[in-house]
Amino acid sequence: MAQQTLLSLCHVLVLALCVSAAEDFDWTKNEKGSFHYGTFPTVFSWGAGSSAYQTEGAWDKDGKGMSIWDVFSHKRGKIHLNDTGDSSCEGYYKFKDDILLMKDLKLNHYRFSISWPRILPTGIKSDKINEKGIQHYDSLINMLLENQITPIVTLYHWDLPQVLQEKYGGWQNSSMVNFFDDYANLCFERFGNRVKHWITFNNPWSIAVEGYEMGDHAPGLKLKGTGAYKAAHNIIKAHAKAWHTYDIQWRSKQKGMVGISLSTDWGEPVDITNQRDIEAADRYMQFYLGWFAAPLFSGDYPQVMKEYIGKLQY
Ligand SMILES: *[C@@H]1O[C@H](CO)[C@@H](O)[C@H](O)[C@H]1NC(C)=O
Ligand SMILES: *[C@@H]1O[C@H](CO)[C@@H](O)[C@H](O)[C@H]1NC(C)=O
């Protein structure tokens, strides 16, 4: 299912509503009825979002390295109709047209992701920096700003450099924490004078579960029982490390924000009078959203996760 939708999303600009960056924005001051009848509060910001692999194309152009999605989608039988993102929306070439479309839609925010292997072909900063890749994102960011569109930049929307997967086992390996930090730091250094909104990871649940446990997303591994937990653990640490790098090295100069994009399904008790159902619904939420949110907000995994799977060793 997920794969089938993945590659067909390309022409759909996902309409996202982002709260303005103004930190003093207070929802409670808005009129209750202000969302009714096609109106939005004046402080509401309109945006659209995309990801590199799903829109850029140019998968092997201008020095870009391969990502795990390039390799995965080229394996026959993995993607609906054996489709690939090789060309996708040609966003790498058409970003100027895309920005004109954003202007037509009167968007003032655009969320996109940087392809890690486009700027670091092997994923490792000390190996090689691909300046052509950097130039692409420079042009994109500059044109957005010239058009009064605020860039919201995701650092990792699932396209891990293939070399890191092959040599180290990708997110199974804690060495990803430092590789990701070097990559994030490079992005802060090169783009952070203009980008003030950073998202480290998009939907880490999918990366961990669908990539390393179920195997229906890249890298397609079925490491049942432990794969997702190890991947998630390293992703959470990578987020934290990059956040602190920004905080220590860049925040005072660049004055931006670093966050993460978590997604979740929602679990309801079948019978709201049944304690076991209530606990099951809560457990579902903890294993989906709490898994990532609890460490970020309180520094540890949810208690119920520790009780159920705490004996696993990392
Ligand atoms: C996709 O590739 C698989 C494996 O080679 C093949 O069985 C299948 O028919 C292909 N599907 C299409 C739509 O070409
Ligand atoms: C992580 O990568 C290093 C270096 O290649 C390797 O020695 C180690 O076994 C890897 N660890 C795991 C858990 O794959």
Side-chain angles (χ1 to χ4, degrees), residues 167-168 172-173 175:
K167 271 201 186 165
Y168 300 91
Q172 293 301 293
N173 198 312
S175 59

Side-chain angles (χ1 to χ4, degrees), residues 137-209:
Y137 296 110
D138 270 336
S139 307
L140 172 59
I141 291 163
N142 290 343
M143 188 170 167
L144 286 168
L145 291 172
E146 282 158 19
N147 286 282
Q148 289 80 49
I149 298 170
T150 303
I152 313 269
V153 180
T154 309
L155 292 168
Y156 189 90
H157 203 126
W158 306 0
D159 45 358
L160 185 77
Q162 174 66 11
V163 173
L164 295 182
Q165 186 62 48
E166 273 171 26
K167 271 201 186 165
Y168 300 91
W171 290 107
Q172 293 301 293
N173 198 312
S174 60
S175 59
M176 290 309 107
V177 176
N178 285 333
F179 291 137
F180 179 78
D181 188 53
D182 289 344
Y183 159 63
N185 200 14
L186 177 66
C187 292
F188 299 150
E189 180 194 334
R190 297 297 190 92
F191 308 123
N193 59 342
R194 289 153 292 157
V195 173
K196 305 299 170 189
H197 302 77
W198 297 99
I199 295 168
T200 53
F201 290 90
N202 178 72
N203 191 355
W205 183 93
S206 268
I207 302 165
V209 175

Side-chain angles (χ1 to χ4, degrees), residues 185-246:
N185 200 14
L186 177 66
C187 292
F188 299 150
E189 180 194 334
R190 297 297 190 92
F191 308 123
N193 59 342
R194 289 153 292 157
V195 173
K196 305 299 170 189
H197 302 77
W198 297 99
I199 295 168
T200 53
F201 290 90
N202 178 72
N203 191 355
W205 183 93
S206 268
I207 302 165
V209 175
E210 295 175 304
Y212 291 87
E213 185 91 14
M214 283 148 54
D216 49 9
H217 280 193
L221 297 175
K222 294 177 182 162
L223 307 169
K224 300 276 180 184
T226 55
Y229 297 118
K230 279 188 186 166
H233 197 67
N234 291 324
I235 291 167
I236 291 164
K237 288 204 289 194
H239 165 80
K241 180 147 191 174
W243 189 94
H244 284 285
T245 292
Y246 190 83

Side-chain angles (χ1 to χ4, degrees), residues 264-272 277-289:
T264 188
D265 287 351
W266 193 261
E268 295 274 348
V270 173
D271 173 1
I272 57 164
D277 285 3
I278 292 169
E279 282 169 17
D282 184 60
R283 197 159 58 239
Y284 181 87
M285 293 308 299
Q286 295 305 333
F287 269 79
Y288 214 131
L289 185 59

